[in-house]
């Protein structure tokens, strides 16, 4: 067992360190979900190309400074012409399709870099409008930022 698999099993075991230990151990649903998410039990072809999980693509970092919110999405191999960004309140939509690589025509043996169409909704820490959002695409990074809107706290009268 390699170190990564050991760490996954350790994380799995931590989930059962509660007062409800025995009920959790015999809960087959949680175990099956873990196995489905982390182990490919049906892979019998050793030449099968593993696919990266798509639910969290593209990976993003969100930073909050005293004056602005910054979102950085990692999109290597994509072109800005193939990206779509929209916002509604505190929901940011990132959509895109890859640019086909004309130089590589072979059969992939290992393919760890995500590719293909994506559609991800990200919950922003604070709402904004599209005209406040600035977007820049550079070296495979989509950088979005907007100024924070500070609302003065108002007391609510209780009847």
């Amino acid at each position: 067992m390699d170190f990564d698999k050991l760490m996954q099993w350790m994380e799995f075991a931590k989930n059962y360190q509660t007062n409800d230990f025995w009920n959790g151990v015999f809960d087959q649903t949680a175990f099956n979900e873990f196995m489905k998410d982390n182990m490919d039990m049906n892979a019998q072809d050793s030449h099968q190309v593993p696919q990266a999980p798509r639910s969290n693509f593209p990976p993003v970092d969100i930073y909050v400074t005293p004056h602005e919110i910054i979102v950085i999405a990692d999109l290597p191999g994509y072109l800005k012409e193939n990206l779509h960004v929209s916002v509604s309140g505190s929901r940011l939509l990132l959509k895109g399709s890859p640019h086909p690589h004309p130089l590589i025509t072979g059969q992939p043996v290992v393919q760890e870099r995500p590719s293909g169409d994506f559609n991800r909704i990200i919950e922003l820490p604070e709402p904004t409008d599209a005209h406040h959002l600035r977007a820049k695409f550079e070296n495979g990074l989509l950088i979005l930022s907007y100024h924070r809107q500070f609302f003065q706290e108002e007391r609510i009268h209780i009847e």
Side-chain angles (χ1 to χ4, degrees):
M1 181 178 285
D2 68 351
F3 185 72
D4 290 335
K5 295 292 182 197
L6 178 62
M7 293 306 293
Q8 287 176 352
W9 279 109
M10 297 277 293
E11 187 66 31
F12 180 68
K14 272 201 283 187
N15 291 334
Y16 292 107
Q17 292 179 350
T18 64
N19 293 339
D20 200 18
F21 175 78
W22 289 110
N23 287 336
V25 166
F26 295 116
D27 180 15
Q28 196 65 31
T29 308
F31 177 75
N32 289 342
E33 263 185 52
F34 173 81
M35 293 301 285
K36 185 177 81 178
D37 292 343
N38 295 293
M39 307 291 177
D40 189 4
M41 301 302 281
N42 298 323
Q44 288 152 11
D45 182 6
S46 62
H47 297 292
Q48 186 178 21
V49 178
Q51 295 295 317
R54 301 296 295 169
S55 62
N56 290 328
F57 185 82
V60 298
D61 294 333
I62 300 176
Y63 299 93
V64 178
T65 72
H67 301 287
E68 68 181 341
I69 307 290
I70 303 164
V71 179
I72 301 173
D74 193 11
L75 291 162
Y78 289 79
L79 298 176
K80 74 177 185 177
E81 293 81 16
N82 297 344
L83 300 177
H84 169 84
V85 179
S86 61
V87 67
S88 175
S90 62
R91 295 176 61 122
L92 176 70
L93 171 65
L94 300 179
K95 289 173 68 171
S97 55
H99 177 70
H101 199 294
L103 299 177
I104 301 174
T105 58
Q107 178 68 29
V109 176
V110 175
Q111 191 172 12
E112 295 178 348
R113 295 175 50 236
S115 63
D117 295 344
F118 66 89
N119 184 358
R120 181 172 181 193
I121 295 175
I122 298 161
E123 193 68 33
L124 297 171
E126 296 176 9
T128 189
D129 295 324
H131 63 278
H132 289 123
L133 196 61
R134 294 179 311 279
K136 180 169 70 170
F137 189 70
E138 185 176 302
N139 296 327
L141 294 177
L142 177 62
I143 303 167
L144 306 162
S145 62
Y146 61 95
H147 288 289
R148 296 180 72 184
Q149 298 175 6
F150 294 97
F151 297 101
Q152 185 175 4
E153 182 179 336
E154 295 181 38
R155 185 178 174 113
I156 306 297
H157 175 71
I158 303 173
E159 294 181 25

